Amino acid sequence: MISSARATKAAVTEPGLLPPTGTAAARPARQRSRHCAGAVSALPAGPGWEEAAEESRGYGGIRSTAEERGVSRGQAHRLPHLPARLRPYTPLKGAMSTVWFDRYKISNDCPEHIESIDSMCRGLTDVINDEIKNGIAKNRILIGGFSMGGGMAMHLAYRFHQDLAGVFALSSFLNKDSAVYQALKKNESVLPELFQCHGTADELVLYSWGEETNKMLKSLGVSASLHTFPNLHHELNRTEIEKLKTWIVEKLPLEAANK
């Protein structure tokens, strides 16, 4: 279970990754063959998040099993993480930081750093393709994350992998003129569903940014939900994780995999 962990100024880098929480490649081939669904997620680095990751093991952490998560064996499976990269981060005046991509500033009203975003999308595409080679159907894969991890997931799914099972974005946003919106204006196919959560007291990624992202994606054909958490800062809480767990199980039912 993940407990509430306040994001401090030390974590204002807005997110790298915690250590990997399990990789398919590390498991025996016969065990991998049982899995029929995948979910990859990104959590931010920073004070308090190591504890949060440890508490989250019941939802796919490093030592958990399907049964411990309340999910039938073979229903849920973690994709391996591709760690975010150590790179110069413009909001920190060019200081090195482990982040998914660079930003010109932490704001929704500026251009996206599309070169670094697309570089990470290529790397994550390799991870998804590896899982497909291991026998997991692409429409049984979910991607998502917290903060910048959620933004990364939206770029990856809605620009390059529109046939995934779904996307989750927790305390995340897209810029006003995002490349995601431009790509969806040309789309005519069914898009992955979006599960979104955001706290109204978030001072790093404003609630209004997440709300605007949700409205824009809906207007472009995405089936999107937004779960609002009053007085929640740039952090996760128990209720949010419970809602996410329920959504994941609904999106990846065991019955569908057995048909």
Side-chain angles (χ1 to χ4, degrees), residues 102-174:
D102 196 10
R103 294 190 188 279
Y104 294 108
K105 58 182 178 178
I106 302 178
S107 169
N108 71 337
D109 195 15
C110 66
E112 293 175 319
H113 198 287
I114 202 67
E115 180 180 355
S116 59
I117 291 172
D118 284 359
S119 175
M120 289 305 300
C121 282
R122 288 190 291 271
L124 285 166
T125 290
D126 291 341
V127 176
I128 290 173
N129 289 338
D130 284 344
E131 289 306 300
I132 294 172
K133 290 176 184 177
N134 284 333
I136 298 177
K138 194 171 182 182
N139 64 359
R140 298 279 296 164
I141 295 175
L142 296 168
I143 60 172
F146 174 86
S147 195
M148 184 181 280
M152 187 77 253
M154 289 187 281
H155 272 275
L156 184 65
Y158 295 122
R159 293 176 58 208
F160 302 107
H161 297 280
Q162 296 178 350
D163 49 351
L164 292 172
V167 182
F168 60 91
L170 314 176
S171 303
S172 308
F173 74 100
L174 294 172

Side-chain angles (χ1 to χ4, degrees), residues 34-102:
R34 297 177 185 169
H35 296 298
C36 58
V40 60
S41 65
L43 291 174
W49 288 106
E50 290 83 356
E51 177 184 356
E54 174 64 19
E55 294 184 14
S56 73
R57 59 183 178 153
Y59 296 92
I62 192 165
R63 289 184 293 278
S64 71
T65 65
E67 288 85 349
E68 287 172 340
R69 298 198 300 276
V71 179
S72 301
R73 177 174 294 277
Q75 180 174 347
H77 172 57
R78 302 274 300 186
L79 286 181
H81 285 299
L82 177 69
R85 298 175 184 172
L86 185 65
R87 68 171 82 241
Y89 191 50
T90 301
L92 292 180
K93 299 181 179 180
M96 299 299 288
S97 183
T98 304
V99 292
W100 282 106
F101 51 87
D102 196 10

Side-chain angles (χ1 to χ4, degrees), residues 192-205:
E193 180 182 340
L194 173 66
F195 176 94
Q196 199 175 348
C197 295
H198 215 118
T200 60
D202 195 331
E203 296 177 350
L204 179 61
V205 176

